[in-house]
């Protein structure tokens, strides 16, 4: 695994005191993707089409931050944090990958996500990963990522109210169980 050692990415980091999250305003127009998603809700499209449209919106939204984040391909520190997923996201993963759920309540929160390829540090379901994963980026010292309980500057689904509301709308309009559980409860 890369483990976050790419110096060209690390040099984006300045210091925790100098991090300006003013850029978190939307710089790129995402109206098109937002409207496509809202239309899929209004049209009562298939639940898998709705979630794909929400993921498309999220991808465009967060693509504008990737050159500011210190996240790197192959760095999988965040794959140990709790990833809350909904029933529809589990179904979407099952529909589009070879993974099938195997429920458990006994998870080790120190383990990596079972969907992570430990040899490469890459997500084996990257195109179908949950919204919580899509919305997670870090912007300060990459060494903080190694410390599971350290506090550092990140974005999360909950910290983006509009995206979170759109997610809640998906859950409401697909008539799926709205309970969120860690992805490791579903996939081992």
């Amino acid at each position: 695994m890369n483990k976050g050692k790419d110096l060209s990415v690390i040099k984006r980091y300045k210091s925790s005191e100098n991090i300006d999250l003013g850029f978190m305003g939307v710089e790129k127009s995402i109206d098109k993707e937002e409207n496509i998603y809202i239309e899929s809700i209004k049209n009562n499209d298939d639940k898998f089409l709705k979630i794909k449209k929400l993921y498309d919106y999220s991808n465009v939204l967060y693509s504008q931050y990737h050159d500011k984040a210190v996240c790197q391909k192959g760095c999988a520190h965040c794959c140990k944090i709790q990833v809350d997923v909904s029933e529809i996201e589990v179904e979407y993963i099952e529909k589009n990958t070879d993974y099938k759920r195997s429920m458990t309540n006994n998870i080790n929160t120190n383990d990596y996500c079972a969907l992570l390829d430990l040899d490469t540090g890459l997500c084996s379901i990257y195109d179908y990963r949950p919204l919580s994963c899509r919305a997670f980026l870090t912007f300060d010292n990459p060494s903080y990522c190694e410390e599971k309980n350290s506090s550092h500057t990140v974005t999360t689904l909950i910290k983006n109210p509009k995206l979170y509301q759109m997610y809640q709308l998906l859950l409401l309009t697909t008539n799926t169980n709205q309970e969120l559980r860690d992805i490791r409860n579903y996939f081992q």
Side-chain angles (χ1 to χ4, degrees):
M1 272 191 277
N2 174 349
K3 291 290 189 186
K5 305 294 186 211
D6 184 336
L7 294 179
S8 67
V9 175
I10 292 171
K11 70 181 180 182
R12 294 180 196 158
Y13 166 72
K14 295 176 184 169
S15 75
S16 58
E17 297 83 41
N18 296 330
I19 296 172
D20 176 16
L21 291 184
F23 67 84
M24 289 304 292
V26 176
E27 300 167 9
K28 184 196 285 188
S29 174
I30 56 172
D31 293 342
K32 176 184 171 190
E33 288 76 12
E34 180 178 352
N35 290 336
I36 290 171
Y37 172 67
I38 297 301
E39 282 301 310
S40 74
I41 297 293
K42 287 179 181 176
N43 295 336
N44 199 24
D45 287 343
D46 171 79
K47 64 184 176 182
F48 295 122
L49 183 57
K50 288 178 188 176
I51 196 169
K52 180 176 183 336
K53 299 301 179 193
L54 180 59
Y55 285 177
D56 290 346
Y57 169 81
S58 173
N59 291 345
V60 172
L61 175 65
Y62 283 96
S63 69
Q64 63 193 324
Y65 309 131
H66 285 279
D67 65 334
K68 297 168 179 74
V70 295
C71 303
Q72 311 170 30
K73 185 176 185 174
C75 177
H77 294 299
C78 60
C79 297
K80 281 190 172 186
I81 65 172
Q82 181 171 335
V83 175
D84 289 331
V85 295
S86 61
E87 177 67 24
I88 188 171
E89 290 178 294
V90 172
E91 291 174 13
Y92 191 71
I93 292 167
E94 289 179 313
K95 178 183 183 294
N96 291 292
T97 71
D98 292 332
Y99 289 97
K100 300 299 175 214
R101 80 181 77 198
S102 173
M103 291 296 296
T104 184
N105 289 322
N106 300 321
I107 61 171
N108 182 345
T109 56
N110 292 315
D111 286 345
Y112 283 105
C113 174
L115 307 176
L116 176 70
D117 180 327
L118 292 174
D119 293 328
T120 64
L122 301 177
C123 178
S124 64
I125 61 159
Y126 188 80
D127 290 337
Y128 310 104
R129 70 195 184 284
L131 196 57
S132 290
C133 296
R134 293 167 191 273
F136 190 90
L137 293 172
T138 186
F139 298 96
D140 53 13
N141 192 327
S143 68
Y144 298 161
C145 299
E146 296 178 41
E147 303 164 20
K148 184 176 178 182
N149 295 318
S150 78
S151 176
H152 58 113
T153 308
V154 298
T155 63
T156 63
L157 178 58
I158 300 297
K159 289 182 180 178
N160 187 321
K162 184 172 187 176
L163 183 59
Y164 188 69
Q165 288 174 344
M166 293 171 80
Y167 181 61
Q168 292 298 313
L169 186 59
L170 171 75
L171 298 179
L172 287 170
T173 61
T174 55
N175 297 320
T176 55
N177 181 352
Q178 294 184 31
E179 176 186 10
L180 300 178
R181 297 184 69 176
D182 191 292
I183 196 166
R184 292 169 288 196
N185 289 116
Y186 295 99
F187 303 102
Q188 291 84 53

